[in-house]
Amino acid sequence: MARGLVGDARSDGKPHPAWADYTHRGNGERVVDAHANDLRHAPEGGWFEWDGKRWAPDPGSKRALKRAMDTLVAMALEARTSPGLDADDHKFIERSQSPGEWGSALTTASLYAPIATSFDAFDDGRDAPKGH
């Protein structure tokens, strides 16, 4: 499979790294790369989103899922003009546009630092992790 960049879904506007390939792992890495500054996952507490002041809980993971969706939609949009993609890449990119795949990308992202954290890394269980 070819390696590819995804669109500008990163929170800082920079392009995604070329090493994120068209695999489930690559999709999780894209989510981490795009949202390392604004998403955290603690197995004991679920997903948290930085609201500018604190790590706010994300009940039902709706905001985290929306961020994963945005990241994978941006990947698909950029793939339309990316040279060197083969038929398998295009099939995978198309499959990545379903809600189940967005959830899979989140699950994978939850395993990577800095998104992966523990609940005790938060100052009081919900505010900024120590050192944010």
Side-chain angles (χ1 to χ4, degrees), residues 48-122:
F48 293 82
E49 179 181 52
W50 184 251
D51 68 6
K53 296 179 184 177
R54 68 182 185 111
W55 290 102
D58 182 10
S61 307
K62 290 180 177 140
R63 293 187 306 267
L65 193 60
K66 170 77 167 77
R67 289 176 183 270
M69 177 195 75
D70 291 346
T71 301
L72 297 183
V73 166
M75 172 189 67
L77 292 173
E78 183 166 302
R80 291 179 182 172
T81 59
S82 295
L85 301 182
D86 62 27
D88 287 339
D89 293 330
H90 285 288
K91 286 178 189 174
F92 182 80
I93 291 163
E94 185 176 329
R95 285 192 313 268
S96 293
Q97 302 311 303
S98 70
E101 294 299 321
W102 306 332
S104 177
L106 271 185
T107 298
T108 302
S110 74
L111 303 174
Y112 287 90
I115 287 181
T117 191
S118 65
F119 202 65
D120 62 1
F122 293 90

